[in-house]
Amino acid sequence: MAGSTGRVGAAGDNAAMESFISLLQKDVLDRRSWATRQELRITIVTWIERTYHQRRRQASLGRLTPVEFETVMTASALRAA
């Protein structure tokens, strides 16, 4: 992950990433140690897909989670077809 390249003092540009990293740290990284980087990588990807994407509401998606948004959009597309 790369840090923000925004202007100094622009707090909003780092807030989303800091929130994500905080949740990742609390929910995954602080729980235990891993034998290999690959094992840690799989754990992080699994956490993102199963936990983070299913509960994080996003303003750009109308305050829906990505999973809820996909469900709504798929149903709308099927009705339109």
Side-chain angles (χ1 to χ4, degrees):
M1 289 181 224
S4 172
T5 57
R7 294 186 343 242
V8 174
D13 63 345
N14 281 329
M17 185 55 72
E18 288 177 3
S19 175
F20 173 80
I21 295 295
S22 174
L23 284 171
L24 177 65
Q25 186 81 34
K26 181 181 67 132
D27 291 351
V28 177
L29 302 176
D30 289 345
R31 300 251 179 203
R32 65 181 193 95
S33 58
W34 286 266
T36 65
R37 291 177 66 102
Q38 180 67 14
E39 183 183 357
L40 175 58
R41 180 184 166 281
I42 291 169
T43 302
I44 290 172
V45 169
T46 301
W47 176 78
I48 291 169
E49 292 298 324
R50 289 190 182 162
T51 304
Y52 187 76
H53 281 326
Q54 295 202 17
R55 75 170 183 220
R56 169 83 165 86
R57 300 196 179 278
Q58 298 185 12
S60 63
L61 301 179
R63 302 300 303 158
L64 297 173
T65 68
V67 172
E68 291 169 339
F69 182 77
E70 287 293 325
T71 302
V72 168
M73 292 309 291
T74 301
S76 296
L78 289 174
R79 283 194 302 270

Coordinates of all heavy atoms in Angstrom, one line a residue:
M1 N 0.8 -1.2 0.0 CA 0.0 0.0 0.0 C 0.9 1.2 0.0 O 1.9 1.3 0.7 CB -0.9 0.0 1.2 CG -2.0 -1.1 1.2 SD -3.0 -1.0 2.6 CE -3.0 -2.7 3.0
A2 N 0.5 2.2 -0.7 CA 1.2 3.5 -0.8 C 0.5 4.6 0.0 O -0.7 4.6 0.0 CB 1.4 3.9 -2.3
G3 N 1.3 5.4 0.5 CA 0.8 6.5 1.3 C 0.2 7.6 0.3 O 0.4 7.5 -0.9
S4 N -0.5 8.5 0.9 CA -1.1 9.6 0.1 C 0.0 10.5 -0.5 O 1.0 10.7 0.1 CB -2.0 10.4 1.1 OG -2.5 11.5 0.4
T5 N -0.4 11.1 -1.6 CA 0.5 12.1 -2.2 C -0.2 13.4 -2.2 O 0.2 14.3 -3.0 CB 0.8 11.7 -3.7 OG1 -0.4 11.5 -4.4 CG2 1.6 10.4 -3.7
G6 N -1.1 13.6 -1.4 CA -1.8 14.9 -1.3 C -1.0 16.0 -0.6 O 0.1 15.8 -0.2
R7 N -1.6 17.2 -0.5 CA -0.9 18.3 0.1 C -0.8 18.1 1.6 O -1.6 17.4 2.2 CB -1.7 19.6 -0.2 CG -1.8 20.0 -1.6 CD -2.4 21.3 -1.8 NE -3.2 21.8 -0.6 CZ -4.5 22.0 -0.6 NH1 -5.2 21.8 -1.7 NH2 -5.1 22.4 0.4
V8 N 0.2 18.7 2.2 CA 0.4 18.7 3.6 C -0.8 19.4 4.3 O -1.2 20.5 3.8 CB 1.7 19.4 4.0 CG1 1.9 19.5 5.5 CG2 2.9 18.7 3.4
G9 N -1.3 18.8 5.3 CA -2.4 19.4 6.0 C -3.8 19.1 5.5 O -4.8 19.5 6.0
A10 N -3.9 18.3 4.4 CA -5.1 17.9 3.8 C -5.5 16.6 4.5 O -5.2 15.5 4.0 CB -5.1 17.7 2.3
A11 N -6.2 16.7 5.6 CA -6.4 15.5 6.5 C -7.4 14.5 5.8 O -7.2 13.3 6.0 CB -7.1 15.9 7.8
G12 N -8.3 14.9 5.0 CA -9.3 14.0 4.4 C -8.7 13.0 3.5 O -9.2 11.9 3.3
D13 N -7.5 13.3 2.8 CA -7.0 12.3 1.9 C -6.4 11.1 2.5 O -6.3 10.1 1.9 CB -6.0 13.0 0.9 CG -4.8 13.5 1.6 OD1 -4.8 13.6 2.9 OD2 -3.8 13.8 1.0
N14 N -6.0 11.2 3.7 CA -5.5 10.0 4.4 C -6.5 9.3 5.3 O -6.3 8.2 5.7 CB -4.3 10.4 5.3 CG -3.0 10.6 4.6 OD1 -2.8 10.0 3.5 ND2 -2.2 11.5 5.0
A15 N -7.6 9.9 5.6 CA -8.6 9.4 6.5 C -9.1 8.0 6.2 O -9.1 7.1 7.0 CB -9.7 10.3 6.7
A16 N -9.4 7.8 4.9 CA -10.0 6.5 4.5 C -8.9 5.4 4.6 O -9.2 4.3 5.1 CB -10.5 6.6 3.1
M17 N -7.7 5.7 4.2 CA -6.7 4.6 4.3 C -6.3 4.4 5.7 O -6.1 3.2 6.1 CB -5.4 5.1 3.5 CG -4.3 4.0 3.4 SD -4.9 2.4 2.8 CE -5.1 2.8 1.1
E18 N -6.2 5.4 6.5 CA -5.9 5.2 7.9 C -7.0 4.4 8.6 O -6.7 3.5 9.5 CB -5.7 6.5 8.6 CG -4.4 7.2 8.2 CD -4.3 8.6 8.8 OE1 -5.1 9.0 9.7 OE2 -3.3 9.3 8.5
S19 N -8.2 4.6 8.3 CA -9.3 3.8 8.8 C -9.2 2.3 8.4 O -9.4 1.4 9.2 CB -10.7 4.4 8.4 OG -11.7 3.6 8.8
F20 N -8.9 2.1 7.1 CA -8.8 0.8 6.6 C -7.6 0.0 7.3 O -7.7 -1.1 7.8 CB -8.5 0.8 5.1 CG -8.2 -0.5 4.5 CD1 -9.2 -1.5 4.3 CD2 -6.9 -0.9 4.3 CE1 -8.9 -2.7 3.7 CE2 -6.5 -2.1 3.7 CZ -7.5 -3.0 3.5
I21 N -6.5 0.7 7.4 CA -5.3 0.1 8.0 C -5.5 -0.2 9.5 O -5.1 -1.2 10.0 CB -4.0 1.0 7.9 CG1 -3.7 1.2 6.4 CG2 -2.9 0.5 8.7 CD1 -3.2 -0.2 5.8
S22 N -6.3 0.7 10.2 CA -6.6 0.5 11.6 C -7.4 -0.8 11.8 O -7.2 -1.6 12.7 CB -7.3 1.7 12.1 OG -7.8 1.5 13.4
L23 N -8.4 -0.9 10.9 CA -9.3 -2.1 11.0 C -8.5 -3.4 10.7 O -8.6 -4.4 11.3 CB -10.5 -2.0 10.0 CG -11.6 -1.1 10.5 CD1 -12.6 -1.0 9.3 CD2 -12.3 -1.7 11.7
L24 N -7.6 -3.3 9.6 CA -6.8 -4.4 9.3 C -5.9 -4.8 10.4 O -5.7 -6.0 10.7 CB -6.0 -4.1 8.0 CG -5.0 -5.2 7.5 CD1 -5.7 -6.4 7.1 CD2 -4.1 -4.6 6.4
Q25 N -5.3 -3.8 11.0 CA -4.4 -4.1 12.2 C -5.1 -4.8 13.3 O -4.6 -5.8 13.8 CB -3.8 -2.7 12.6 CG -2.7 -2.9 13.7 CD -1.4 -3.2 13.1 OE1 -1.1 -2.7 12.0 NE2 -0.6 -4.0 13.8
K26 N -6.3 -4.2 13.7 CA -7.0 -4.8 14.8 C -7.6 -6.2 14.5 O -7.5 -7.1 15.3 CB -8.1 -3.8 15.2 CG -9.0 -4.2 16.3 CD -10.1 -3.3 16.6 CE -11.1 -3.3 15.4 NZ -12.4 -3.4 15.6
D27 N -8.1 -6.3 13.3 CA -8.8 -7.6 13.0 C -7.9 -8.7 12.5 O -8.3 -9.9 12.6 CB -9.9 -7.3 11.9 CG -11.1 -6.5 12.4 OD1 -11.1 -6.3 13.6 OD2 -11.9 -6.1 11.6
V28 N -6.8 -8.4 11.9 CA -6.0 -9.4 11.3 C -4.5 -9.5 11.9 O -4.1 -10.5 12.4 CB -5.9 -9.3 9.8 CG1 -5.0 -10.3 9.2 CG2 -7.3 -9.3 9.2
L29 N -3.8 -8.4 11.8 CA -2.4 -8.4 12.1 C -2.1 -8.6 13.5 O -1.1 -9.2 13.8 CB -1.8 -7.0 11.6 CG -2.0 -6.8 10.1 CD1 -1.4 -5.4 9.7 CD2 -1.3 -7.9 9.2
D30 N -2.9 -8.0 14.4 CA -2.6 -8.2 15.8 C -3.1 -9.5 16.4 O -2.9 -9.8 17.6 CB -3.2 -7.0 16.6 CG -2.5 -5.7 16.4 OD1 -1.4 -5.7 15.8 OD2 -3.1 -4.7 16.7
R31 N -3.8 -10.3 15.7 CA -4.3 -11.6 16.2 C -3.3 -12.7 16.4 O -3.4 -13.5 17.3 CB -5.4 -12.0 15.3 CG -6.6 -11.0 15.1 CD -7.8 -11.5 15.8 NE -8.8 -10.5 15.6 CZ -9.8 -10.4 16.4 NH1 -9.9 -11.3 17.4 NH2 -10.7 -9.5 16.3
R32 N -2.4 -12.8 15.5 CA -1.4 -13.9 15.6 C -0.2 -13.6 14.7 O -0.2 -12.6 13.9 CB -2.0 -15.2 15.3 CG -2.5 -15.4 13.9 CD -3.1 -16.8 13.7 NE -3.3 -17.1 12.3 CZ -2.4 -17.8 11.5 NH1 -1.3 -18.3 12.1 NH2 -2.7 -18.0 10.3
S33 N 0.8 -14.5 14.6 CA 1.9 -14.4 13.7 C 1.7 -15.5 12.6 O 1.1 -16.5 12.8 CB 3.2 -14.5 14.4 OG 3.3 -15.8 15.0
W34 N 2.3 -15.2 11.5 CA 2.2 -16.1 10.3 C 3.6 -16.7 10.0 O 4.6 -16.0 10.1 CB 1.6 -15.4 9.1 CG 0.2 -15.1 9.3 CD1 -0.8 -15.9 8.8 CD2 -0.4 -14.0 10.0 NE1 -2.0 -15.3 9.2 CE2 -1.8 -14.2 9.9 CE3 0.1 -12.9 10.7 CZ2 -2.7 -13.3 10.5 CZ3 -0.8 -12.1 11.3 CH2 -2.2 -12.3 11.2
A35 N 3.6 -17.9 9.5 CA 4.8 -18.6 9.2 C 5.4 -18.0 7.9 O 6.7 -18.0 7.8 CB 4.6 -20.1 9.0
T36 N 4.6 -17.7 6.9 CA 5.1 -17.2 5.6 C 4.4 -15.9 5.2 O 3.3 -15.6 5.7 CB 5.0 -18.2 4.5 OG1 3.6 -18.4 4.3 CG2 5.6 -19.5 4.9
R37 N 5.0 -15.1 4.3 CA 4.3 -14.0 3.8 C 3.1 -14.4 3.0 O 2.1 -13.7 2.9 CB 5.3 -13.2 2.9 CG 6.4 -12.5 3.7 CD 7.4 -11.8 2.8 NE 6.8 -10.7 2.1 CZ 6.9 -9.4 2.5 NH1 7.7 -9.1 3.5 NH2 6.3 -8.4 1.8
Q38 N 3.2 -15.5 2.3 CA 2.1 -16.0 1.5 C 0.9 -16.3 2.4 O -0.3 -15.9 2.0 CB 2.5 -17.2 0.7 CG 1.4 -17.8 -0.2 CD 1.0 -16.9 -1.3 OE1 1.7 -15.9 -1.7 NE2 -0.1 -17.2 -1.9
E39 N 1.1 -16.9 3.5 CA 0.0 -17.2 4.4 C -0.7 -15.9 4.9 O -1.9 -15.7 4.9 CB 0.5 -18.0 5.6 CG -0.6 -18.4 6.6 CD 0.0 -19.1 7.8 OE1 1.2 -19.4 7.9 OE2 -0.8 -19.4 8.7
L40 N 0.1 -14.9 5.2 CA -0.4 -13.6 5.6 C -1.1 -12.9 4.5 O -2.2 -12.3 4.7 CB 0.8 -12.7 6.1 CG 0.4 -11.2 6.5 CD1 -0.7 -11.2 7.6 CD2 1.6 -10.4 6.9
R41 N -0.6 -13.0 3.3 CA -1.3 -12.4 2.1 C -2.6 -13.0 1.9 O -3.6 -12.3 1.7 CB -0.4 -12.6 0.9 CG -1.0 -12.0 -0.4 CD -0.1 -12.4 -1.6 NE -0.8 -12.2 -2.8 CZ -1.7 -12.9 -3.4 NH1 -2.1 -14.1 -2.8 NH2 -2.3 -12.6 -4.5
I42 N -2.8 -14.3 2.0 CA -4.0 -15.0 1.8 C -5.0 -14.6 2.9 O -6.2 -14.3 2.7 CB -3.8 -16.5 1.8 CG1 -3.1 -16.9 0.5 CG2 -5.2 -17.2 1.9 CD1 -2.7 -18.3 0.4
T43 N -4.5 -14.4 4.2 CA -5.4 -14.0 5.3 C -5.9 -12.6 5.1 O -7.1 -12.3 5.3 CB -4.6 -14.1 6.6 OG1 -4.1 -15.4 6.8 CG2 -5.4 -13.7 7.8
I44 N -5.0 -11.7 4.6 CA -5.5 -10.3 4.3 C -6.5 -10.3 3.2 O -7.5 -9.6 3.4 CB -4.2 -9.4 4.0 CG1 -3.4 -9.2 5.3 CG2 -4.7 -8.1 3.5 CD1 -2.1 -8.5 5.1
V45 N -6.2 -11.0 2.1 CA -7.2 -10.9 1.0 C -8.5 -11.6 1.4 O -9.6 -11.0 1.1 CB -6.6 -11.7 -0.2 CG1 -7.7 -11.9 -1.3 CG2 -5.4 -10.9 -0.8
T46 N -8.5 -12.6 2.2 CA -9.7 -13.2 2.7 C -10.5 -12.3 3.6 O -11.7 -12.2 3.5 CB -9.4 -14.5 3.5 OG1 -8.7 -15.4 2.6 CG2 -10.6 -15.2 4.0
W47 N -9.8 -11.6 4.5 CA -10.4 -10.6 5.4 C -11.1 -9.5 4.6 O -12.2 -9.1 4.8 CB -9.4 -10.0 6.4 CG -10.0 -9.0 7.2 CD1 -10.8 -9.1 8.3 CD2 -9.9 -7.5 7.0 NE1 -11.1 -7.9 8.8 CE2 -10.6 -6.9 8.1 CE3 -9.2 -6.8 6.1 CZ2 -10.6 -5.5 8.2 CZ3 -9.3 -5.4 6.2 CH2 -10.0 -4.8 7.3
I48 N -10.4 -9.0 3.6 CA -11.0 -7.9 2.7 C -12.2 -8.4 2.1 O -13.3 -7.7 2.1 CB -9.9 -7.4 1.7 CG1 -8.8 -6.7 2.4 CG2 -10.6 -6.5 0.7 CD1 -7.6 -6.4 1.5
E49 N -12.2 -9.6 1.4 CA -13.3 -10.1 0.7 C -14.5 -10.5 1.5 O -15.6 -10.3 1.2 CB -12.9 -11.2 -0.3 CG -12.0 -10.8 -1.4 CD -12.6 -9.8 -2.3 OE1 -13.8 -9.9 -2.6 OE2 -11.9 -8.9 -2.8
R50 N -14.2 -11.2 2.6 CA -15.3 -11.7 3.5 C -15.8 -10.8 4.5 O -17.0 -10.9 4.9 CB -14.8 -13.0 4.1 CG -14.6 -14.2 3.2 CD -14.4 -15.4 3.9 NE -14.2 -16.5 3.0 CZ -13.7 -17.7 3.3 NH1 -13.3 -17.9 4.6 NH2 -13.5 -18.6 2.4
T51 N -15.0 -9.9 5.0 CA -15.4 -9.1 6.2 C -15.5 -7.6 5.7 O -16.6 -7.0 5.9 CB -14.4 -9.2 7.3 OG1 -14.3 -10.6 7.7 CG2 -14.8 -8.4 8.5
Y52 N -14.4 -7.0 5.3 CA -14.4 -5.6 5.0 C -15.4 -5.2 3.9 O -16.2 -4.3 4.1 CB -13.0 -5.2 4.6 CG -12.9 -3.7 4.4 CD1 -12.8 -2.9 5.6 CD2 -12.8 -3.1 3.2 CE1 -12.7 -1.5 5.4 CE2 -12.7 -1.7 3.0 CZ -12.6 -0.9 4.2 OH -12.5 0.4 4.0
H53 N -15.4 -5.9 2.8 CA -16.4 -5.6 1.7 C -17.8 -5.9 2.1 O -18.7 -5.3 1.5 CB -16.0 -6.3 0.4 CG -14.9 -5.7 -0.3 ND1 -14.6 -4.4 -0.4 CD2 -13.9 -6.3 -1.0 CE1 -13.6 -4.2 -1.1 NE2 -13.1 -5.3 -1.5
Q54 N -18.1 -6.7 3.0 CA -19.4 -7.0 3.4 C -20.0 -6.1 4.4 O -21.2 -6.1 4.6 CB -19.5 -8.5 3.8 CG -19.2 -9.4 2.7 CD -19.8 -10.8 2.8 OE1 -20.7 -11.0 3.6 NE2 -19.3 -11.7 2.0
R55 N -19.2 -5.3 5.1 CA -19.7 -4.4 6.1 C -19.4 -2.9 5.9 O -20.1 -2.1 6.5 CB -19.3 -4.8 7.5 CG -17.8 -4.5 7.8 CD -17.6 -4.7 9.3 NE -16.2 -4.3 9.6 CZ -15.4 -4.9 10.3 NH1 -15.7 -6.0 10.9 NH2 -14.1 -4.4 10.5
R56 N -18.4 -2.6 5.1 CA -18.1 -1.2 4.9 C -19.0 -0.5 3.9 O -19.1 -0.8 2.7 CB -16.6 -1.1 4.3 CG -16.2 0.2 3.8 CD -15.7 1.1 5.0 NE -14.9 2.2 4.5 CZ -15.5 3.4 4.1 NH1 -16.8 3.5 4.1 NH2 -14.7 4.3 3.7
R57 N -19.8 0.5 4.4 CA -20.7 1.2 3.5 C -19.9 2.3 2.8 O -19.1 3.0 3.4 CB -21.8 1.8 4.3 CG -22.6 0.7 5.0 CD -23.9 1.2 5.5 NE -24.6 0.1 6.1 CZ -25.3 -0.8 5.5 NH1 -25.4 -0.8 4.2 NH2 -25.9 -1.8 6.1
Q58 N -20.2 2.5 1.6 CA -19.4 3.5 0.8 C -20.4 4.6 0.2 O -21.4 4.3 -0.4 CB -18.7 2.8 -0.3 CG -17.7 1.8 0.2 CD -16.8 1.2 -0.9 OE1 -16.8 1.6 -2.0 NE2 -16.1 0.2 -0.5
A59 N -20.0 5.8 0.4 CA -20.8 7.0 0.0 C -21.0 6.9 -1.5 O -22.1 7.2 -2.0 CB -20.2 8.3 0.4
S60 N -20.0 6.6 -2.3 CA -20.1 6.5 -3.7 C -21.0 5.5 -4.2 O -21.5 5.5 -5.4 CB -18.7 6.3 -4.4 OG -18.2 5.1 -4.0
L61 N -21.4 4.5 -3.4 CA -22.4 3.5 -3.7 C -23.7 3.7 -3.1 O -24.5 2.8 -2.9 CB -21.8 2.1 -3.3 CG -20.5 1.7 -3.9 CD1 -20.1 0.3 -3.4 CD2 -20.5 1.7 -5.4
G62 N -24.0 4.9 -2.7 CA -25.3 5.2 -2.1 C -25.4 4.7 -0.7 O -26.5 4.2 -0.2
R63 N -24.3 4.6 0.1 CA -24.2 4.1 1.5 C -24.6 2.6 1.5 O -25.0 2.1 2.6 CB -25.2 4.9 2.4 CG -24.9 6.4 2.5 CD -23.5 6.8 3.0 NE -23.2 6.2 4.3 CZ -22.0 6.0 4.7 NH1 -21.0 6.3 4.0 NH2 -21.8 5.5 5.9
L64 N -24.3 1.9 0.5 CA -24.4 0.5 0.5 C -23.0 -0.2 0.6 O -22.0 0.5 0.2 CB -25.1 0.0 -0.9 CG -26.5 0.5 -1.1 CD1 -26.9 0.1 -2.5 CD2 -27.4 -0.1 -0.1
T65 N -23.0 -1.4 1.0 CA -21.7 -2.1 1.0 C -21.5 -2.6 -0.5 O -22.5 -2.7 -1.2 CB -21.8 -3.4 1.9 OG1 -22.7 -4.3 1.4 CG2 -22.1 -3.0 3.3
P66 N -20.3 -2.9 -0.8 CA -20.1 -3.4 -2.2 C -20.9 -4.6 -2.5 O -21.4 -4.8 -3.6 CB -18.6 -3.7 -2.2 CG -18.0 -2.8 -1.3 CD -19.0 -2.7 -0.2
V67 N -21.1 -5.5 -1.6 CA -21.9 -6.7 -1.8 C -23.4 -6.3 -2.0 O -24.0 -6.8 -2.9 CB -21.8 -7.7 -0.6 CG1 -22.8 -8.8 -0.7 CG2 -20.4 -8.2 -0.5
E68 N -23.9 -5.4 -1.2 CA -25.3 -5.0 -1.4 C -25.5 -4.3 -2.7 O -26.5 -4.5 -3.4 CB -25.7 -4.0 -0.3 CG -25.8 -4.6 1.1 CD -25.9 -3.6 2.2 OE1 -25.6 -2.5 2.0 OE2 -26.4 -4.0 3.3
F69 N -24.5 -3.4 -3.1 CA -24.6 -2.7 -4.4 C -24.6 -3.7 -5.6 O -25.4 -3.6 -6.5 CB -23.4 -1.8 -4.5 CG -23.4 -1.0 -5.8 CD1 -24.2 0.1 -5.9 CD2 -22.5 -1.3 -6.8 CE1 -24.2 0.9 -7.1 CE2 -22.5 -0.6 -8.0 CZ -23.4 0.5 -8.1
E70 N -23.8 -4.7 -5.5 CA -23.7 -5.7 -6.6 C -25.1 -6.4 -6.7 O -25.6 -6.7 -7.8 CB -22.6 -6.7 -6.4 CG -21.2 -6.2 -6.6 CD -21.0 -5.9 -8.1 OE1 -21.6 -6.6 -9.0 OE2 -20.3 -4.9 -8.4
T71 N -25.7 -6.8 -5.5 CA -27.0 -7.4 -5.5 C -28.0 -6.6 -6.2 O -28.8 -7.0 -7.0 CB -27.4 -7.8 -4.1 OG1 -26.4 -8.6 -3.5 CG2 -28.7 -8.5 -4.0
V72 N -28.1 -5.3 -5.8 CA -29.1 -4.4 -6.3 C -28.8 -4.2 -7.8 O -29.8 -4.2 -8.6 CB -29.0 -3.0 -5.6 CG1 -29.8 -1.9 -6.3 CG2 -29.5 -3.2 -4.2
M73 N -27.6 -4.0 -8.2 CA -27.3 -3.7 -9.6 C -27.6 -5.0 -10.5 O -28.1 -4.8 -11.6 CB -25.9 -3.2 -9.8 CG -25.6 -1.9 -9.2 SD -26.8 -0.6 -9.8 CE -26.3 -0.4 -11.5
T74 N -27.3 -6.1 -10.0 CA -27.6 -7.4 -10.7 C -29.1 -7.5 -10.9 O -29.5 -7.9 -12.0 CB -26.9 -8.6 -10.0 OG1 -25.5 -8.4 -9.9 CG2 -27.2 -9.8 -10.8
A75 N -29.8 -7.3 -9.8 CA -31.3 -7.4 -9.9 C -31.8 -6.4 -10.9 O -32.7 -6.8 -11.7 CB -31.9 -7.3 -8.6
S76 N -31.3 -5.2 -10.9 CA -31.8 -4.1 -11.8 C -31.5 -4.5 -13.2 O -32.3 -4.3 -14.2 CB -31.2 -2.8 -11.5 OG -31.6 -2.4 -10.2
A77 N -30.3 -5.0 -13.5 CA -29.9 -5.4 -14.8 C -30.8 -6.6 -15.4 O -31.1 -6.6 -16.5 CB -28.4 -5.8 -14.8
L78 N -31.1 -7.5 -14.5 CA -31.9 -8.6 -14.9 C -33.3 -8.2 -15.3 O -33.9 -8.7 -16.2 CB -32.0 -9.7 -13.8 CG -30.7 -10.5 -13.6 CD1 -30.8 -11.4 -12.4 CD2 -30.3 -11.3 -14.9
R79 N -33.9 -7.2 -14.5 CA -35.2 -6.7 -14.8 C -35.2 -5.9 -16.1 O -36.2 -5.9 -16.8 CB -35.7 -5.9 -13.6 CG -36.2 -6.6 -12.4 CD -37.0 -5.8 -11.5 NE -36.2 -4.6 -11.0 CZ -35.5 -4.6 -9.9 NH1 -35.4 -5.7 -9.1 NH2 -34.8 -3.5 -9.5
A80 N -34.1 -5.2 -16.4 CA -34.1 -4.4 -17.6 C -33.9 -5.3 -18.8 O -34.3 -4.8 -19.9 CB -32.9 -3.4 -17.5
A81 N -33.4 -6.4 -18.7 CA -33.1 -7.3 -19.8 C -34.3 -8.0 -20.4 O -35.4 -8.0 -20.1 CB -32.1 -8.3 -19.5

